[in-house]
């Protein structure tokens, strides 16, 4: 501190002497340089660490941490004595737990939802009348990375065929897929030779959804990866709670057979978190006589964001849109979610 004060006095006096000499000679004033120097020194004073303040803050943080540990120990003891119902676990306060109220959130045993599901376009799959048969194609004249992604999807989705599309319009592709009894159509779009979107169309009557692809990682770029098998995977759909989310979850479910082969221990997960759908493909292994399980990622890994949902099959001109994401109008709060 004394050193800073000495330098401040010396520099300020030198600046004043220079100003007086410059006024005598007729040179321009150097008062501005003295002011700037004062500002720098003031900034130095402000940024000097206050040891007492730091020690006080450190003590407070340690006291808070110790008090939290004591509360946790007390709650554990009470839970052991009285049971979990008497002393329930504290739920963390997150953005998901404090989301805005949505009228379309589905409750358990909702008769209206059950009636709609029994009469929607995907009822034939869930009633086990039609086995899934998937057609995967690309945007016109796609590049290498897009075809790589298609083969990665074919590895994850059983009973999937890849169709090399050149300049054929998408409406004709839909008609051809319906004539060959495909149940779903997956179209991978690209931008600058990188996959950036997926159109998912349920056949023959829709609906159709478009998703934006983010954070795509191919299997070869994963650090620890395994080889996929031909067993039918188990499907996990997480946090699709609204009517819109329920429809999207049912569309994903239509891609996979209803009867998984548990001997293969393959799992495909669609995890919705804050309207971002995370796709993961794993194989689980049991360790220590079934007490623990380990996951081995099989790839690929990517994230989807729903952009629009359309009734019926793909029709960009006359199609009726059920839902369209308008970010500036709809994303008015961090705690507002649609899926």
């Amino acid at each position: 501190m004394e050193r800073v004060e000495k330098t401040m006095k010396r520099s300020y006096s030198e600046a004043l002497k220079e100003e007086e000499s410059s006024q005598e000679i007729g040179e321009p004033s150097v008062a501005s340089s003295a002011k700037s120097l004062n500002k720098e020194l003031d900034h130095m004073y402000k940024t000097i660490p206050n040891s007492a303040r730091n020690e006080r803050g450190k003590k407070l943080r340690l006291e808070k941490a110790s008090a939290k540990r004591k509360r946790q120990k007390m709650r554990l003891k009470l839970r052991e004595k009285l049971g979990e119902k008497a002393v329930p676990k504290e739920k963390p306060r997150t953005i998901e737990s404090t989301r805005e109220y949505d009228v379309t959130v589905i409750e358990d045993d909702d008769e209206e939802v059950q009636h709609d599901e029994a009469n929607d376009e995907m009822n034939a799959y869930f009633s086990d009348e039609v086995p899934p048969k998937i057609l995967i194609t690309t945007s016109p004249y796609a590049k290498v990375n897009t075809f790589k992604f298609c083969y990665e999807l074919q590895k994850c989705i059983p009973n999937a065929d890849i169709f090399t599309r050149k300049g054929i319009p998408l409406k004709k592709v839909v008609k051809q897929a319906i004539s060959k009894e495909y149940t779903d159509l997956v179209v991978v779009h690209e931008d600058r030779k990188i996959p950036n979107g997926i159109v998912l169309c349920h056949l023959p009557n829709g609906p159709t959804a478009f998703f934006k692809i983010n954070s795509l990682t191919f299997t070869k770029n994963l650090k620890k990866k395994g080889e996929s098998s031909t067993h039918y995977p188990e499907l996990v759909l997480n946090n699709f709670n609204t009517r819109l989310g329920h429809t999207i979850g049912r569309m994903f479910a239509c891609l996979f057979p209803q009867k998984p082969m548990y001997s293969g221990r393959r799992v495909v997960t669609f995890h919705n978190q804050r309207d971002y759908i995370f796709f993961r493909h794993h194989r689980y292994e049991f360790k220590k006589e079934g007490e623990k399980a380990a996951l081995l990622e099989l790839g690929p890994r990517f994230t989807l964001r729903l952009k629009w949902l359309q009734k019926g099959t793909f029709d960009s001109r006359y199609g009726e849109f059920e839902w369209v994401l308008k970010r500036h109008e709809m994303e008015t709060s961090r705690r507002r979610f649609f899926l």
Side-chain angles (χ1 to χ4, degrees), residues 146-316:
T146 307
F147 279 104
K148 283 183 181 179
F149 183 57
C150 290
Y151 285 112
E152 296 265 2
L153 289 178
Q154 188 184 30
K155 181 181 68 174
C156 302
I157 303 172
N159 304 326
D161 299 325
I162 295 177
F163 172 72
T164 304
R165 177 186 168 198
K166 293 183 179 178
I168 304 173
L170 189 54
K171 288 185 179 180
K172 287 187 178 180
V173 175
V174 171
K175 290 180 181 178
Q176 291 176 5
I178 293 171
S179 64
K180 294 183 179 180
E181 297 182 350
Y182 284 99
T183 59
D184 287 275
L185 174 65
V186 179
V187 185
V188 181
H189 289 269
E190 67 174 18
D191 183 28
R192 298 177 184 177
K193 302 180 182 181
I194 297 173
N196 73 327
I198 288 180
V199 173
L200 177 58
C201 180
H202 184 71
L203 304 176
N205 300 316
T208 305
F210 175 70
F211 302 90
K212 193 78 174 176
I213 300 175
N214 297 314
S215 306
L216 172 60
T217 305
F218 290 106
T219 304
K220 68 175 184 179
N221 297 326
L222 297 174
K223 290 184 178 179
K224 294 182 179 180
K225 53 185 177 293
E227 293 185 3
S228 180
S229 62
T230 57
H231 296 85
Y232 290 173
E234 303 171 45
L235 182 64
V236 179
L237 299 169
N238 284 336
N239 297 334
F240 294 94
N241 300 321
T242 62
R243 293 295 295 268
L244 175 64
H246 212 60
T247 303
I248 298 301
R250 285 169 67 84
M251 290 180 71
F252 287 140
C254 290
L255 299 174
F256 299 89
Q258 289 197 42
K259 297 178 181 178
M261 298 178 181
Y262 296 103
S263 58
R265 304 192 304 277
R266 284 178 61 200
V267 182
V268 172
T269 305
F270 291 92
H271 175 74
N272 173 41
Q273 186 172 357
R274 304 180 191 179
D275 289 348
Y276 287 91
I277 303 168
F278 297 89
F279 176 89
R280 297 293 184 269
H281 183 204
H282 292 97
R283 182 171 63 245
Y284 58 89
E285 299 175 356
F286 293 108
K287 295 184 176 181
K288 292 186 178 180
E289 298 179 357
E291 294 180 0
K292 291 185 178 181
L295 291 176
L296 180 64
E297 193 166 0
L298 306 179
R301 180 195 300 174
F302 57 90
T303 307
L304 299 175
R305 183 80 191 274
L306 178 65
K307 292 297 182 179
W308 50 259
L309 179 68
Q310 188 183 69
K311 284 186 177 180
T313 56
F314 178 81
D315 192 348
S316 59

Side-chain angles (χ1 to χ4, degrees), residues 48-203:
I48 290 172
N50 191 338
S51 58
R53 189 194 310 158
N54 290 342
E55 288 177 3
R56 199 180 305 123
K58 190 176 180 180
K59 285 181 181 178
L60 284 172
R61 286 193 295 272
L62 291 173
E63 287 175 3
K64 281 185 178 180
S66 63
K68 185 178 179 181
R69 285 194 294 271
K70 286 179 182 178
R71 285 200 308 271
Q72 289 175 348
K73 289 179 181 178
M74 288 291 293
R75 291 179 71 85
L76 279 173
K77 290 179 181 178
L78 289 172
R79 197 176 291 118
E80 289 174 359
K81 289 181 180 179
L82 305 175
E84 292 188 359
K85 291 183 179 180
V87 188
K89 291 183 179 180
E90 294 180 349
K91 293 183 179 179
R93 184 180 175 85
T94 60
I95 293 179
E96 289 85 359
S97 63
T98 57
R99 66 179 293 175
E100 290 184 1
Y101 174 73
D102 193 346
V103 184
T104 62
V105 172
I106 296 174
E107 298 179 358
D108 296 335
D109 300 328
D110 193 330
E111 294 181 359
E112 183 181 355
V113 175
Q114 292 176 1
H115 178 268
D116 291 344
E117 289 178 356
N119 297 286
D120 66 358
E121 302 92 341
M122 295 168 278
N123 180 44
Y125 164 79
F126 287 98
S127 58
D128 212 3
E129 296 176 6
V130 180
K133 186 181 178 184
I134 317 302
L135 178 63
I136 302 173
T137 186
T138 64
S139 55
Y141 306 104
K143 304 302 179 184
V144 177
N145 286 328
T146 307
F147 279 104
K148 283 183 181 179
F149 183 57
C150 290
Y151 285 112
E152 296 265 2
L153 289 178
Q154 188 184 30
K155 181 181 68 174
C156 302
I157 303 172
N159 304 326
D161 299 325
I162 295 177
F163 172 72
T164 304
R165 177 186 168 198
K166 293 183 179 178
I168 304 173
L170 189 54
K171 288 185 179 180
K172 287 187 178 180
V173 175
V174 171
K175 290 180 181 178
Q176 291 176 5
I178 293 171
S179 64
K180 294 183 179 180
E181 297 182 350
Y182 284 99
T183 59
D184 287 275
L185 174 65
V186 179
V187 185
V188 181
H189 289 269
E190 67 174 18
D191 183 28
R192 298 177 184 177
K193 302 180 182 181
I194 297 173
N196 73 327
I198 288 180
V199 173
L200 177 58
C201 180
H202 184 71
L203 304 176

Side-chain angles (χ1 to χ4, degrees), residues 3 11-12 46 277 280 327 329:
R3 191 182 301 170
S11 57
Y12 188 69
K46 289 178 182 177
I277 303 168
R280 297 293 184 269
R327 294 189 60 186
E329 297 178 11

